[in-house]
Each structure stands twice: as structure tokens, then as C-alpha cells.
């Protein structure tokens, strides 16, 4: 041990639970540069750690304060510090409860919040230090209804612990009984009841009780502070740091709200904003997803081709490390509209009737950061799984529907790119379900064949319905000719696919996807001006088709899905 290299710091904190992290955070925010936290085994961390070095899983063997510095011998070698704060007693389980407990309920009285089911249970936490607050916060995060009988001085807590307790109480996550101590715990049927020494506090019924009072140890002296001993709180730790490092260090401040990305606040924001659940999340490949989402209230009725709004909070983590250009408020909702897709066939192989569905299906591509383009929604969605909650807009809307197709003998051509296929899947299912007899051609252009997330379903439809054709086009597949939607129109392929030819008098064309493929014009009266490069609208206009615009119902309908 003597030959091991010595790690040095200004403040060394032993224990990475709430007390240790609170003290370390106070020191770091006050300007102490070198703060190290030793995360000794079996100490549970609550919340986000402060920006300090945390060394995990080592044991403290000896603390020597006889020299100019405190030297702490550990299982990984010695650490030398100007001040050492030992929080281990705050994590030690009390040897025995000081409160009489009826034998019938003794198994429901614990010294730690671990090891028993707490979701939707009533739990009483008893204690007067950071350990009690840490246990209460953990129980809240795990879904318990918590009452904290706080028995110690609030002013003696570190600022981070006071902030957390004040915020938890302010937000209504727990009820704090200030200076009200249980006098006994008795059996009450299948539950237990706690009586208190304050006459203003009524007897209360709980499922579990957690005793968070620390064991008693002798106080430290000089530059070594042992927290949890009589009269030594984390407030005393700050005084020791200030004396040992710089008496001019600014005193830490207490906040009355939880940071937006704190796990407890994240759960509150999710509960406040999210109103739907992901029921399935299938990957055509890593960056192409088919999601099914069920809203809390039945509100999935929609016309084929319409869109819904999907949202996640900015508090959700990203799957990448990209820095969003402009700061995003952590409590902001990020929303994006997606055309509603369809599985088309149910599990029995029958055509889906959307009126029987209580979910909607979305076809989503994971957008990766590219230069200054930093997407916000899909990198957060990438971390979600079935059972996770999301926001779903209460209204499904959109004018891109089959409303113009009134004659069941008309031909319908659906042309899309990438996930712009989504509304065409819904339209395909609707046309086939209502017995459309005209030809239906569904073409989609993608980069690689793996990007055809619904191909297997469309091949089943082709085999079952003689009037249906599915035409996949790929642009980057090796040994496969590069084909775009414009090539399909330019080369006359549709004339061969439709029994009456590509006839504007009896054909409706639907376009969805990349605006460069669609190429919508600007209008000067009845005169269109088309963009470069040539898009589908210009090619169709040249072949005698009429483009939809505000005052004209044509037979070319488009949705700029971008």
C-alpha cells in the first residue's frame, strides 16, 4: 500500500448516496475544483450525480488525519485530501427501532426501501437526515405514496438535500410531518397503524414503514467529519469544508423545485403530458420502425391518408450525443405529424377495418444528425419500447384522403418515397376493403430493399387481389437498376400496368414523400411554374393530368411528407 501512487484532491467524500452527493455538489458549485466521491459498496445513489469524480466499489481501510493532509487508505490505494467527509454512518441500518412495533406487523417494518413491493402502496419513512430523504425519494420514484416523519433539523441538511425535500413536498409527491414522531405501530386488520406524539397528527394507516434513522457513532475531529453522529449533520460538513479550504467560499443556496431532468420530475412531466402507450415497436431495420400506439381515450377514428401528431418531452434522453443547436427547454414538448399507416391485414389475414382498431400505426424513419440539422424527436423515440408512454395529438386530421375517388371502377395510382408509403398503405387497405374494382398500383421508391418495411404484406395482397400491383423501386442497391418514381412516369411503365392505359380520364394519382419527387408548382392564375429538378407533378401535367390546387379539384393529389 505504501508504494501505491497517491491520488490527491481537496475534498474527499466517502459514500455516493444522497448525503455524499449533496455535500460534493455543494463543494463543487462553491468553486472547489478537486472533489472525489468514493462510492463504497451497497450505497444507493438517488438522482443525477454532480460533476465530480466518482470512484466506485472500493473499501475504506483507514483514515489518518495526523499530518498536514488527511490520508485515506482504500482497497485501491491511498487518497490524500485537505478535508474528508465520511457519510457511511448515514447509510448504516439502525440496530433496532426505537418505536414499539406489534409482532404481527414486524415483517412490514424495514431499515431500507429495498426488497419489497412499493408500487401503489402507502409507506411511512421515519428519519431526520439525508438518509430519510433519499429513502423517501426512492420510494416516490418507485410508485409509492409516501409520508415522511422528519425528525431532524431542516437547517442541518446540505443544500441539495434541502432542495430535494422542499421540491418533493411542493410538487405534492410526498407529505412531510415536521417533528412528528411515531410512538407505536400496531396491527389494524391486514394493515398497520402508526400513532404519533403530536396531537395534531392523526393516527395513520400504512402498508410499510421504513426506519431511516442512522446509528450513533463518535463525532470526527479536525479535518475529518463523520456524518450521522450526534450533532454532526451535512450542514456541519459544509462548515468543515469552508474552514479547511477557504472561509470565503459562498454558502450553497436552496432551491424549491426539482431540476427538469431529475428522474422524479421526469415522471411528473410524463404523467402530465403523455396520453398514449406504445403497444408494439417493430424494426424493419435499425433506422426504420413500425409503431403501434394506443391512446388512453378511444380516439383513433380516421380516414385513410390522414395524419396524427406524435410527441415526446425534451426531458427524454437522446440515443445520440448530438448537441441541439438552440437550447431546448427541458420541459418543452417536441411534436411532429406523421401520416397514419396500416398493417392492412390483421392477425387472421383479414383486411383491417379501422373502425375496429383501438390503435394507430406509424411508419417512422430514425433521422440522424447531419451537419447543422439536429433532429429532436426520433433520437428520443429510438430509446422507447413497448409499454412506454408518449403524447398523441387528440385530433386526427388531413385533406389527403380517398375522398376524390368516387367511382369504384377508376384506376388509382399511389406513388411514394420512403415512409411516404404510410398513407398509401392505409389507402390500399381501404380501397380493397370497400371492394374497389378498378386497378390499384402502389409504387414506392427507397434506397435499399431492406427499406421496404411492408413488402411481405403487399405480396400477399397481390396474390389475393387480381387488380392490385405493388411496384418497389430501389436507388442504391448493388446489381439492381436505379429507379425513381419519375422514371416510372417518364418511361411509360404505368401504361403497361393499367388495363386501360395511363388514362387521365379514369385515373387518380396520389403522391406522398420527398418534395423533390413531387415537384409541386407555384401558380400564376392557371399557369404553373415547376421547380428543378423535374418532379412527378410536371411529368403528370405534361401527360394531361390536372393537379389539385385551392380552386381546382384535379386527379393528381399530393402530400409533401417532409
Amino acid at each position: 500500500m505504501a508504494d501505491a501512487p497517491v491520488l490527491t484532491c481537496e475534498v474527499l467524500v466517502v459514500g455516493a448516496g444522497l448525503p455524499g452527493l449533496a455535500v460534493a455538489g455543494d463543494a463543487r458549485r462553491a468553486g472547489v475544483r478537486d472533489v472525489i466521491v468514493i462510492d463504497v459498496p451497497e450505497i444507493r445513489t438517488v438522482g443525477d450525480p454532480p460533476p465530480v469524480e466518482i470512484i466506485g466499489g472500493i473499501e475504506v481501510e483507514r483514515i489518518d488525519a495526523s499530518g498536514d493532509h488527511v490520508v485515506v487508505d482504500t482497497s485501491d490505494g491511498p487518497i490524500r485530501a485537505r478535508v474528508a467527509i465520511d457519510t457511511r454512518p448515514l447509510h448504516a441500518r439502525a440496530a433496532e427501532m426505537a418505536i414499539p412495533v406489534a409482532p404481527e406487523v414486524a415483517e412490514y417494518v424495514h431499515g431500507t426501501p429495498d426488497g419489497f413491493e412499493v408500487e401503489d402502496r402507502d409507506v411511512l419513512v421515519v428519519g431526520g437526515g439525508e438518509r430519510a430523504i433519499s429513502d423517501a425519494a426512492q420510494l416516490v420514484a418507485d410508485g409509492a405514496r409516501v409520508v415522511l416523519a422528519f425528525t431532524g433539523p431542516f437547517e442541518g441538511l446540505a443544500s441539495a438535500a434541502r432542495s430535494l425535500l422542499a421540491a418533493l413536498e411542493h410538487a405534492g409527491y410526498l407529505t412531510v410531518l415536521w417533528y412528528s414522531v411515531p410512538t407505536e405501530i400496531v396491527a389494524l386488520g391486514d394493515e398497520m397503524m402508526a400513532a404519533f406524539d403530536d396531537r395534531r397528527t392523526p393516527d395513520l394507516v400504512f402498508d410499510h414503514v421504513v426506519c431511516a434513522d442512522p446509528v450513533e457513532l463518535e463525532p470526527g475531529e479536525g479535518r475529518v467529519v463523520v456524518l450521522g453522529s450526534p450533532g454532526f449533520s451535512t450542514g456541519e460538513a459544509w462548515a468543515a469544508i469552508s474552514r479547511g479550504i477557504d472561509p470565503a467560499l459562498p454558502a450553497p443556496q436552496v432551491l424549491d423545485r426539482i431540476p427538469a431532468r431529475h428522474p422524479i420530475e421526469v415522471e411528473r412531466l410524463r404523467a402530465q403530458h403523455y396520453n398514449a402507450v406504445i403497444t408494439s415497436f417493430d424494426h424493419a431495420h435499425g433506422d426504420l420502425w413500425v409503431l403501434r400506439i394506443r391512446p388512453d381515450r378511444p380516439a383513433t377514428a380516421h380516414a385513410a391518408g390522414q395524419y396524427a401528431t406524435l410527441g415526446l418531452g425534451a426531458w427524454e434522453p437522446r440515443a445520440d450525443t448530438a448537441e441541439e443547436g438552440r437550447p431546448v427547454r427541458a420541459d418543452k414538448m417536441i411534436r411532429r405529424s406523421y401520416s397514419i399507416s396500416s398493417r392492412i391485414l390483421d392477425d387472421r389475414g383479414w383486411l383491417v377495418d379501422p373502425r375496429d382498431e383501438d390503435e394507430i400505426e406509424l411508419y417512422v424513419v430514425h433521422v440522424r444528425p447531419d451537419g447543422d440539422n439536429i433532429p429532436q424527436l426520433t433520437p428520443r423515440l429510438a430509446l422507447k419500447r413497448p409499454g412506454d408512454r408518449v403524447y398523441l395529438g387528440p385530433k386526427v386530421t388531413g385533406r389527403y384522403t380517398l375522398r376524390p375517388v368516387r367511382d369504384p371502377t377508376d384506376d388509382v395510382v399511389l406513388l411514394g418515397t420512403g415512409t411516404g408509403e404510410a398513407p398509401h398503405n392505409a389507402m390500399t387497405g381501404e380501397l380493397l376493403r370497400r371492394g374497389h374494382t378498378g386497378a390499384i398500383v402502389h409504387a414506392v421508391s427507397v434506397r435499399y430493399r431492406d427499406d421496404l418495411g411492408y413488402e411481405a404484406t403487399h405480396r400477399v395482397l397481390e396474390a389475393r387481389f387480381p387488380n392490385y400491383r405493388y411496384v418497389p423501386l430501389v436507388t442504391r442497391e448493388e446489381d439492381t437498376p436505379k429507379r425513381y418514381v419519375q422514371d416510372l412516369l417518364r418511361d411509360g411503365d404505368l401504361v403497361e400496368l393499367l388495363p386501360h392505359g395511363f388514362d387521365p380520364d379514369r385515373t387518380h394519382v396520389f403522391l406522398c414523400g420527398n418534395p423533390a419527387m413531387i415537384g409541386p408548382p407555384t401558380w400564376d392564375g392557371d399557369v404553373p411554374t415547376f421547380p428543378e429538378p423535374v418532379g412527378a407533378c410536371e411529368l403528370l401535367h405534361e401527360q394531361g393530368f390536372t393537379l389539385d390546387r385551392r380552386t381546382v379539384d384535379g386527379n393528381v393529389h399530393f402530400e409533401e411528407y417532409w
Side-chain angles (χ1 to χ4, degrees):
M1 180 67 71
D3 296 330
V6 178
L7 187 63
T8 63
C9 62
E10 291 186 288
V11 175
L12 174 67
V13 178
V14 181
L18 178 59
L21 295 180
V23 170
D26 282 351
R28 190 68 183 85
R29 283 187 291 273
V32 179
R33 290 176 300 173
D34 297 322
V35 181
I36 293 177
V37 177
I38 299 175
D39 188 10
V40 297
E42 298 183 0
I43 288 184
R44 188 169 189 173
T45 300
V46 176
D48 296 327
V52 298
E53 182 178 358
I54 301 176
I55 303 174
I58 64 176
E59 296 283 2
V60 174
E61 298 171 351
R62 188 172 68 97
I63 299 177
D64 181 7
S66 60
D68 294 337
H69 286 73
V70 179
V71 178
V72 180
D73 290 331
T74 77
S75 55
D76 275 14
I79 302 175
R80 188 171 65 177
R82 293 172 65 181
V83 176
I85 309 296
D86 189 355
T87 73
R88 286 175 296 172
L90 290 172
H91 299 274
R93 180 172 178 171
E96 60 184 43
M97 296 277 295
I99 308 166
V101 178
E104 307 96 295
V105 294
E107 63 179 299
Y108 302 107
V109 179
H110 317 272
T112 170
D114 301 317
F116 59 95
E117 178 62 38
V118 302
E119 185 172 2
D120 204 31
R121 303 288 178 88
D122 294 298
V123 182
L124 171 66
V125 178
V126 183
E130 276 86 352
R131 167 68 185 275
I133 300 171
S134 178
D135 287 352
Q138 185 61 51
L139 288 163
V140 167
D142 291 342
R145 295 182 293 270
V146 179
V147 172
L148 171 60
F150 192 76
T151 60
F154 181 74
E155 296 75 14
L157 300 171
S159 65
R162 284 183 282 166
S163 297
L164 179 58
L165 180 56
L168 288 170
E169 184 184 32
H170 178 74
Y173 288 122
L174 57 79
T175 300
V176 182
L177 305 178
W178 296 100
Y179 311 111
S180 186
V181 180
T183 56
E184 64 175 339
I185 299 173
V186 300
L188 184 67
D190 295 333
E191 299 172 307
M192 56 184 169
M193 184 174 68
F196 295 86
D197 60 356
D198 186 342
R199 68 181 183 208
R200 295 168 297 180
T201 303
D203 297 343
L204 299 173
V205 176
F206 298 96
D207 298 301
H208 296 273
V209 173
V210 173
C211 175
D213 282 328
V215 297
E216 293 188 359
L217 295 180
E218 291 299 318
E221 296 181 358
R223 297 181 309 281
V224 179
V225 176
V226 179
L227 301 183
S229 53
F232 277 76
S233 65
T234 46
E236 296 295 324
W238 175 252
I241 292 172
S242 179
R243 288 194 304 268
I245 304 299
D246 182 357
L249 288 175
Q253 296 180 340
V254 178
L255 306 175
D256 63 357
R257 64 184 298 271
I258 305 174
R261 287 190 171 89
H262 189 285
I264 293 174
E265 179 66 1
V266 165
E267 289 306 314
R268 184 189 73 80
L269 290 168
R270 286 172 176 167
Q272 177 183 345
H273 293 283
Y274 293 170
N275 59 359
V277 63
I278 298 174
T279 57
S280 67
F281 197 135
D282 296 329
H283 292 68
H285 58 65
D287 284 347
L288 187 62
W289 315 319
V290 178
L291 292 83
R292 293 187 65 78
I293 299 173
R294 179 185 297 124
D296 296 341
R297 294 183 178 181
T300 57
H302 64 278
Q306 292 188 309
Y307 61 85
T309 301
L310 179 67
L312 287 172
W315 57 83
E316 301 288 356
R318 296 178 61 96
D320 54 46
T321 58
E323 293 289 335
E324 287 157 343
R326 291 183 299 175
V328 179
R329 275 180 35 209
D331 60 350
K332 173 189 173 184
M333 281 291 296
I334 300 168
R335 298 176 174 90
R336 184 178 173 186
S337 296
Y338 288 95
S339 291
I340 299 173
S341 187
S342 173
R343 54 180 177 160
I344 307 176
L345 299 174
D346 65 17
D347 296 336
R348 300 165 297 180
W350 294 0
L351 288 168
V352 166
D353 186 340
R355 295 171 297 184
D356 297 333
E357 298 277 274
D358 62 353
E359 303 170 331
I360 64 169
E361 183 159 301
L362 301 179
Y363 193 29
V364 179
V365 65
H366 183 183
V367 182
R368 300 282 183 171
D370 182 14
D372 293 334
N373 179 29
I374 307 297
Q376 294 186 5
L377 182 62
T378 57
R380 291 174 166 87
L381 187 60
L383 297 177
K384 296 300 179 182
R385 293 296 179 265
D388 287 339
R389 303 278 294 169
V390 296
Y391 170 83
L392 191 65
K395 185 178 181 181
V396 174
T397 188
R399 301 179 60 190
Y400 186 67
T401 69
L402 290 170
R403 180 186 56 83
V405 183
R406 299 182 180 89
D407 188 339
T409 65
D410 280 349
D411 295 336
V412 177
V413 177
L414 309 168
L415 305 177
T417 59
T419 53
E421 177 184 10
H424 297 166
N425 291 332
M427 289 178 176
T428 295
E430 177 63 19
L431 288 168
L432 295 174
R433 190 183 65 83
R434 69 192 196 189
H436 191 84
T437 57
I440 306 169
V441 175
H442 184 168
V444 60
S445 176
V446 295
R447 295 175 303 170
Y448 302 100
R449 187 163 291 276
D450 285 347
D451 297 329
L452 298 169
Y454 288 83
E455 184 177 22
T457 298
H458 289 296
R459 296 307 183 193
V460 172
L461 298 176
E462 278 190 314
R464 188 180 302 178
F465 298 95
N467 63 326
Y468 180 69
R469 290 293 303 275
Y470 182 65
V471 184
L473 309 169
V474 294
T475 61
R476 299 186 187 178
E477 197 76 64
E478 292 184 9
D479 304 323
T480 301
K482 182 182 295 187
R483 297 278 283 164
Y484 293 93
V485 168
Q486 293 93 314
D487 296 324
L488 198 67
L489 296 170
R490 191 181 288 116
D491 297 345
D493 295 39
L494 292 172
V495 175
E496 303 298 326
L497 294 173
L498 298 168
H500 306 96
F502 194 33
D503 183 359
D505 292 333
R506 59 169 302 152
T507 305
H508 285 272
V509 180
F510 290 82
L511 306 170
C512 183
N514 191 329
M517 176 275 287
I518 298 173
T522 57
W523 294 89
D524 182 4
D526 294 333
V527 180
T529 299
F530 293 98
E532 293 290 340
V534 175
C537 282
E538 184 173 357
L539 295 171
L540 289 165
H541 176 73
E542 292 172 351
Q543 296 178 42
F545 284 83
T546 303
L547 309 180
D548 273 347
R549 61 185 191 274
R550 181 171 299 177
T551 58
V552 175
D553 290 332
N555 50 12
V556 176
H557 325 282
F558 50 89
E559 182 93 303
E560 294 180 73
Y561 192 83
W562 218 248

